[in-house]
Amino acid sequence: MKRTLSLLLCVLLTLSLAGCAPKEETLQIFAMDTVMDMLAVGSEAREALSASAQEINRLEALLSRTRESSEVSAINSGKTVTVSDETAELLQRAVQYAALTGGTFDITVEPLVSAWGIHTESPKVLSADEIAALLPLVGSGHLHMDGRTVTLDEGCSIDLGAIAKGYASDRVAQIFRDYGVEGGWVSLGGNVYAHGTKSDGKPWSVAIRDPQNTAGAAALVGLSNQFAVTSGGYQRYFTAEDGTVYQHIIDPSTGAPAISDLLSVTVICGNGTMADAYSTALYVMGLEGAKAFWQQHSADFDMVLITQDNILYYTPGLQGKLTVDEGGAYDAKLLS
Amino acid sequence: MQLKTRQLALCAILTALALGLSVMENLFPVTAAIPLPGVKLGLANIVTLFALYELGAAPALTILVARCLLGSLFAGNASALLFSLMGGVLAMLVMIALKRWQKLSVFGVSIGGAAAHNIGQIGAAVITLGDTAVLGYLPILLGVSLITGTLTGFITALLVRAMQNLHLSHS
Amino acid sequence: MQSSSPKLRPTAWDSLIVLAVIVLAIGTAIVFYGGLGGGDHITVTITHRGETVEKVMLEALNEEKTVTIDGTYQLTVVLSRDGVWVSESNCPSQDCLHTGTVSRAGQSIVCLPEQVVIRLDGKSDGPDIILG
């Protein structure tokens, strides 16, 4: 009896020691107009996080449209400018994504975003004439690039906001690998990168926010070394005087806030920049367009579409990773 | 089993006493400290334990069941019956078993019974609510049972000693 | 029917029972609270008569959220980033009000008369990251 008891005590003691896992560090910063959270586990976790924060601040200084000293502001000034290799490459990718998505993602939509004032305190509804006047300024053709030399047509402007956070998550992923981070994640305002696994070897559990009950989860997805980005009208919107609700994503083809039958789009893949661009594009495309686009590029990414009819579509790559509450708000359907 | 008149009278008195104690307990709900509805300190266990020592297992069990049934009649709800029955019967069975193991004093038996009483009540809560969330209260309640068990044991020891001098149940 | 002479003074063996209860208490605490981690990511589930009526991730709340439960009795549950509490109830026991605010994984608020369970789950089954 006594032996059993002392054995039990030993087991309990061992259990309490096992609680001392490798060091877990967290960091929260405010950058790129959003709150960013990071977590890293590993012997150099702290260093990895501060390097990541520095990198994000560097990218913001480089790519912000609202900072006068940034390269994007230099381009928007209308003069011919020479930019860094990094900016040039990111611009090329943006143009490439615009071509791939049929212009549903387009960094040159900026004049309309500004005119609608979506990201300001006082958004306003544009008239058809006002839109018609600005719409000709939209299109990748206005951006002329020759290596690192960039010229933008008069009146046009660009905003990398729709891929900057995705690109930042790619950079953080590289930093996590360089510092030998065992496991961790970054959440950059709608952009998530999950690195490695949790200490118990399980993938990180990412909750896809319920667009209609924003404190709840529509689904959980287990991710490891993957990026996930969600775009949805619920994230930012304004209600006009006549009661119409306008959400924040401008459809480059109409010059007006996109009218989508989707509540949110989540793109999951191995590239943060692409996930960021595609999530915006697919939201603008709507359900049928998004399905068709995925069928053409199914090797590149997985996605979760939440529709206004309370259906949650997901792609086969997420089978076994995605959990949707049975009897919850959404019926899960597998795309094929 | 045939009860002597004296034992029968004692059973009746003890049932009434147990009932009184459990009603009294309702006036001082533990729930202010441990916010789990239905959980009782188990003062009525004093009677159960005393009956076990003075009268034996079968009468003690009878008193217990009678107390639970009458008590829930007074309280007027069925879930209270489940709580007191599951707590009481489990405590009873554990105390019978522990008492058979001759090495323990009334204190050991009492503490074991108090712990079992709380485990039974949590079990009743899990069944009633269909949710295991209430299991989180078990560690705290087990800790509390050390105190209530010791207290119950102490009072019972005093009572049994007094009865030895009275020779009420011995012929 | 009775044992010869009941032991009325504590014996050394009694401490074994005490030890067993302590071990059981610690054991159940480890089993129940052990896997819950730091409790940064708390999912609150409110069930009413066995049915889930609300599932909320505390850190995803930007403002206080109120959930009303209507049955034989009426309860008002308030959820915020700092925790969960029952602000009003007309149930007879009022235990749910006495519970106060709960904010740590593994804690719960129970209303037995209306069969309401508000439970806080931590890391082990909740999400690590909220997206969107």
Side-chain angles (χ1 to χ4, degrees):
Chain A
M1 186 68 185
K2 270 184 181 156
R3 186 173 293 182
T4 326
L5 278 174
S6 49
L7 202 74
L8 246 170
L9 280 174
C10 284
V11 169
L12 287 176
L13 212 70
T14 323
L15 275 174
S16 60
L17 284 176
C20 308
K23 211 138 186 237
E24 184 181 285
E25 298 282 352
T26 59
L27 185 65
Q28 184 177 69
I29 59 168
F30 188 86
M32 300 185 175
D33 206 20
T34 187
V35 178
M36 301 184 165
D37 286 292
M38 305 181 228
L39 179 146
V41 180
S43 52
E44 288 189 83
R46 178 155 287 281
E47 291 79 358
L49 291 187
S50 61
S52 300
Q54 279 171 26
E55 177 68 3
I56 290 168
N57 288 325
R58 183 186 71 82
L59 290 175
E60 184 175 20
L62 191 70
L63 305 173
S64 167
R65 184 183 59 82
T66 51
R67 289 203 192 178
E68 281 179 25
S69 57
S70 77
E71 293 195 347
V72 166
S73 289
I75 295 168
N76 285 340
S77 72
K79 296 177 199 124
T80 298
V81 289
T82 305
V83 296
S84 61
D85 284 334
E86 194 172 24
T87 304
E89 197 195 319
L90 195 57
L91 286 173
Q92 265 155 12
R93 283 173 71 182
V95 171
Q96 186 193 339
Y97 291 140
L100 273 169
T101 61
T104 47
F105 163 85
D106 199 323
I107 56 169
T108 62
V109 78
E110 202 287 319
L112 282 149
V113 176
S114 284
W116 281 89
I118 299 274
H119 298 279
T120 68
E121 293 289 311
S122 50
K124 63 168 197 274
V125 179
L126 295 191
S127 69
D129 287 347
E130 287 171 302
I131 293 172
L134 293 170
L135 213 45
L137 301 173
V138 179
S140 299
H142 295 296
L143 183 68
H144 310 283
M145 293 184 67
D146 181 17
R148 289 162 50 202
T149 310
V150 184
T151 317
L152 195 59
D153 287 344
E154 204 189 325
C156 297
S157 62
I158 58 166
D159 187 351
L160 292 178
I163 47 167
K165 284 180 283 188
Y167 179 65
S169 68
D170 278 328
R171 295 293 309 136
V172 171
Q174 186 58 49
I175 289 167
F176 274 26
R177 286 191 289 270
D178 292 346
Y179 280 86
V181 172
E182 294 160 27
W185 51 262
V186 288
S187 175
L188 317 177
N191 288 243
V192 160
Y193 166 64
H195 180 83
T197 62
K198 296 202 261 191
S199 51
D200 59 5
K202 286 185 193 149
W204 295 99
S205 170
V206 179
I208 298 174
R209 201 185 289 270
D210 179 347
Q212 296 176 99
N213 165 26
T214 54
L220 294 183
V221 59
L223 294 185
S224 179
N225 297 322
Q226 274 182 305
F227 298 83
V229 182
T230 297
S231 288
Y234 70 93
Q235 289 162 333
R236 198 171 220 158
Y237 54 86
F238 72 95
T239 310
E241 278 170 16
D242 66 355
T244 316
V245 177
Y246 295 94
Q247 51 74 32
H248 70 118
I249 300 170
I250 302 283
D251 180 343
S253 67
T254 65
I259 298 168
S260 182
D261 50 359
L262 296 171
L263 294 174
S264 83
V265 174
T266 302
V267 172
I268 294 160
C269 64
N271 184 306
T273 314
M274 185 172 89
D276 205 0
Y278 280 9
S279 70
T280 308
L282 297 181
Y283 179 80
V284 171
M285 287 178 198
L287 177 60
E288 289 311 316
K291 276 192 204 167
F293 185 79
W294 172 75
Q295 263 144 9
Q296 281 172 14
H297 302 91
S298 59
D300 298 343
F301 69 98
D302 279 296
M303 66 178 184
V304 177
L305 306 175
I306 299 176
T307 72
Q308 300 213 328
D309 330 329
N310 296 328
I311 298 169
L312 183 148
Y313 293 97
Y314 65 100
T315 51
L318 299 175
Q319 266 179 304
K321 296 178 184 169
L322 188 90
T323 43
V324 181
D325 264 358
E326 265 184 56
Y330 303 100
D331 288 330
K333 281 190 185 163
L334 179 66
L335 286 170
S336 54
Chain B
M1 180 190 73
Q2 273 217 313
L3 288 174
K4 289 178 190 153
T5 320
R6 207 182 299 178
Q7 282 184 326
L8 191 63
L10 197 54
C11 274
I13 293 170
L14 288 176
T15 307
L17 188 62
L19 208 51
L21 281 173
S22 57
V23 170
M24 200 178 87
E25 228 172 25
N26 288 341
L27 299 177
F28 306 102
V30 238
T31 47
I34 303 148
L36 180 58
V39 169
K40 302 283 169 55
L41 269 180
L43 287 181
N45 265 3
I46 297 172
V47 176
T48 316
L49 187 59
F50 175 74
L52 178 63
Y53 272 81
E54 280 301 314
L55 302 170
L61 200 61
T62 317
I63 291 171
L64 171 81
V65 173
R67 186 256 290 177
C68 292
L69 288 173
L70 291 170
S72 78
L73 268 180
F74 287 168
N77 79 60
S79 66
L81 176 66
L82 186 70
F83 272 75
S84 58
L85 260 186
M86 278 194 65
V89 171
L90 196 64
M92 187 78 238
L93 295 177
V94 167
M95 291 196 294
I96 291 171
L98 289 180
K99 187 168 175 282
R100 288 234 169 113
W101 190 36
Q102 300 279 329
K103 290 191 164 70
L104 293 177
S105 80
V106 65
F107 286 90
V109 174
S110 172
I111 290 169
H117 181 252
N118 287 335
I119 293 171
Q121 291 191 106
I122 292 279
V126 170
I127 292 170
T128 314
L129 296 164
D131 195 303
T132 54
V134 288
L135 286 175
Y137 290 107
L138 196 53
I140 313 158
L141 281 174
L142 284 173
V144 171
S145 72
L146 289 178
I147 302 163
T148 53
T150 309
L151 199 72
T152 312
F154 181 70
I155 296 170
T156 309
L158 287 181
L159 290 174
V160 172
R161 206 170 288 142
M163 288 300 280
Q164 279 171 347
N165 300 332
L166 275 175
H167 300 296
L168 190 62
S169 59
H170 302 266
S171 32
Chain C
M1 200 166 84
Q2 285 171 44
S3 58
S4 48
S5 65
K7 286 193 173 67
L8 298 180
R9 280 173 207 288
T11 70
W13 292 94
D14 288 338
S15 54
L16 260 187
I17 298 295
V18 174
L19 200 64
V21 173
I22 291 173
V23 166
L24 197 61
I26 296 173
T28 50
I30 289 175
V31 168
F32 195 82
Y33 294 98
L36 298 173
D40 294 345
H41 308 279
I42 287 174
T43 305
V44 181
T45 312
I46 304 177
T47 55
H48 179 212
R49 301 192 187 276
E51 300 252 322
T52 302
V53 289
E54 193 74 44
K55 208 168 184 177
V56 160
M57 299 176 290
L58 275 197
E59 64 185 303
L61 284 170
N62 293 321
E63 52 196 26
E64 278 185 12
K65 183 185 174 84
T66 308
V67 176
T68 325
I69 287 153
D70 204 352
T72 315
Y73 308 105
Q74 286 77 41
L75 281 85
T76 308
V77 186
V78 185
L79 303 115
S80 86
R81 279 183 165 227
D82 303 323
V84 184
W85 64 94
V86 175
S87 64
E88 271 177 85
S89 169
N90 57 0
C91 67
S93 60
Q94 301 282 298
D95 292 318
C96 47
L97 287 173
H98 292 150
T99 309
T101 305
V102 293
S103 57
R104 290 198 307 278
Q107 289 186 310
S108 56
I109 304 177
V110 176
C111 175
L112 202 60
E114 195 50 52
Q115 288 185 34
V116 175
V117 181
I118 303 161
R119 65 185 292 171
L120 278 63
D121 291 307
K123 267 182 178 166
S124 52
D125 26 19
D128 302 296
I129 318 155
I130 295 163
L131 170 64

